[in-house]
Amino acid sequence: MSRAVWKHRSEIRAHLRPDTHLLIGSDFDGTLAPIEQTPAAVELNPSNRELLQSLVHLRNVSVALISGRALDDLRSRIRVPGAIYAGNHGLEIKGPGYEFLEPTAASQRENLRALSRHLAMSLSHIDGAEVEEKGLTTSVHFRRVSTRDRKEVVRTVQGAFASGSQPFVLTTGKCVYEIRPRVDWDKGAAVRWISGRITAPRTRIIYIGDDLSDEQAFTALPEEITVRVGEASVTAARYYLEGPAEVPRFLSWILSLRTSGALLAGGRT
């Protein structure tokens, strides 16, 4: 059962020894920035950008932003030099000393483009429906679609997968369908890949996310500090924060532990 972060601070602090390297992984939409009516409207708060930059500058801390957005889109919205960026649910990763492109996903670009265009045409008459091509994955957004028309969006998208022969898988999120290549790779695999390239002898991981896709990371990191943003009845995360507004408070607390010597001294915060 997931537990409130602030009621278990001492437990979390005990895991974050000062002699370990700390990898902080975080989703973007719904975690570092609140979800908006359209993906294009989501922006990173300047104070959150400054906070991320402060964490990146710390010795023995790495920061990875892991999102369903395309990598270039994610970097353009966060703009924190020195961070590691993992776009399309970790199918593409870039950062200082990091570069990865999942080969099967790359080989399916043209097939995905054709499927995306077919869906865009099929949904073009539904107000608010948006098909977002992201190179390696595609999102079908229906947050702005009327309740009356949402069933048609569901029928259209699921109908494209009815034959079962697609080289893609269909998953759901918050008012979105995600179309991804059929590969054994997700946010959890991406975090593990990044962690495996950190040369420090001991690394601990904090992973923060709010969406169903983040559950894959929570499941992949059972011994680490996993934090669900928004309490959920079923989650693999060990802890939870009430909403995106609590995330900067939590990250500021981590920053203070790493800069004040509280971990080394075992002091109370």
Side-chain angles (χ1 to χ4, degrees):
M1 182 177 177
S2 185
R3 296 165 292 167
V5 161
W6 303 117
K7 291 182 179 180
H8 295 85
R9 283 183 296 178
S10 59
E11 181 178 291
I12 294 171
R13 186 173 59 222
H15 281 270
L16 305 179
R17 294 172 53 86
D19 59 346
T20 61
H21 190 97
L22 179 59
L23 170 60
I24 301 173
S26 178
D27 186 23
F28 178 55
D29 297 73
T31 300
L32 290 171
I35 291 174
E36 302 289 353
Q37 286 297 308
T38 65
V42 177
E43 295 182 355
L44 183 64
N45 182 305
S47 62
N48 286 358
R49 180 175 293 111
E50 183 177 347
L51 176 57
L52 290 175
Q53 191 68 75
S54 296
L55 287 164
V56 166
H57 284 157
L58 288 180
R59 177 177 172 270
N60 289 337
V61 174
S62 300
V63 176
L65 295 316
I66 305 171
S67 170
R69 289 179 179 268
L71 190 144
D72 287 345
D73 181 25
L74 181 64
R75 286 198 298 190
S76 70
R77 292 176 188 280
I78 294 181
R79 302 194 306 279
V80 173
I84 304 159
Y85 295 90
N88 279 305
H89 304 280
L91 293 172
E92 50 181 350
I93 302 172
K94 283 188 179 180
Y98 295 85
E99 187 160 1
F100 172 81
L101 177 62
E102 206 291 321
T104 301
S107 71
Q108 292 295 333
R109 288 180 190 268
E110 289 303 319
N111 288 334
L112 181 62
R113 184 175 293 115
L115 175 60
S116 302
R117 290 174 178 173
H118 167 74
L119 288 172
M121 290 182 61
S122 301
L123 296 171
S124 61
H125 64 289
I126 300 178
D127 288 341
E130 179 184 353
V131 177
E132 181 188 9
E133 290 187 50
K134 299 179 291 186
L136 301 178
T137 69
T138 289
S139 295
V140 181
H141 302 278
F142 54 91
R143 182 175 299 276
R144 296 185 298 125
V145 174
S146 68
T147 304
R148 178 192 61 200
D149 290 334
R150 287 189 178 187
K151 288 183 178 179
E152 186 172 355
V153 174
V154 171
R155 284 196 300 269
T156 300
V157 176
Q158 292 185 350
F161 286 79
S163 68
S165 61
Q166 288 281 5
F168 306 104
V169 293
L170 182 67
T171 60
T172 59
K174 295 179 178 179
C175 294
V176 63
Y177 276 111
E178 298 280 2
I179 301 170
R180 307 185 210 171
R182 196 179 293 277
V183 295
D184 186 20
W185 194 266
D186 53 32
K187 288 184 176 182
V191 176
R192 286 295 190 192
W193 185 90
I194 293 167
S195 175
R197 279 147 185 81
I198 293 173
T199 58
R202 289 182 295 275
T203 299
R204 294 311 304 256
I205 302 171
I206 296 174
Y207 186 87
I208 313 167
D210 76 304
D211 201 64
L212 287 175
S213 62
D214 296 304
E215 292 293 333
Q216 297 157 338
F218 300 152
T219 301
L221 304 167
E223 303 301 320
E224 304 295 345
I225 306 300
T226 50
V227 182
R228 168 90 183 195
V229 179
E231 191 172 2
S233 56
V234 179
T235 180
R238 297 175 67 185
Y239 306 97
Y240 72 86
L241 293 166
E242 292 184 0
E246 288 288 289
V247 174
R249 180 187 170 196
F250 177 63
L251 292 177
S252 294
W253 178 65
I254 298 299
L255 177 64
S256 71
L257 291 179
R258 284 279 157 159
T259 55
S260 69
L263 279 171
L264 188 61
R268 299 179 65 181
T269 59

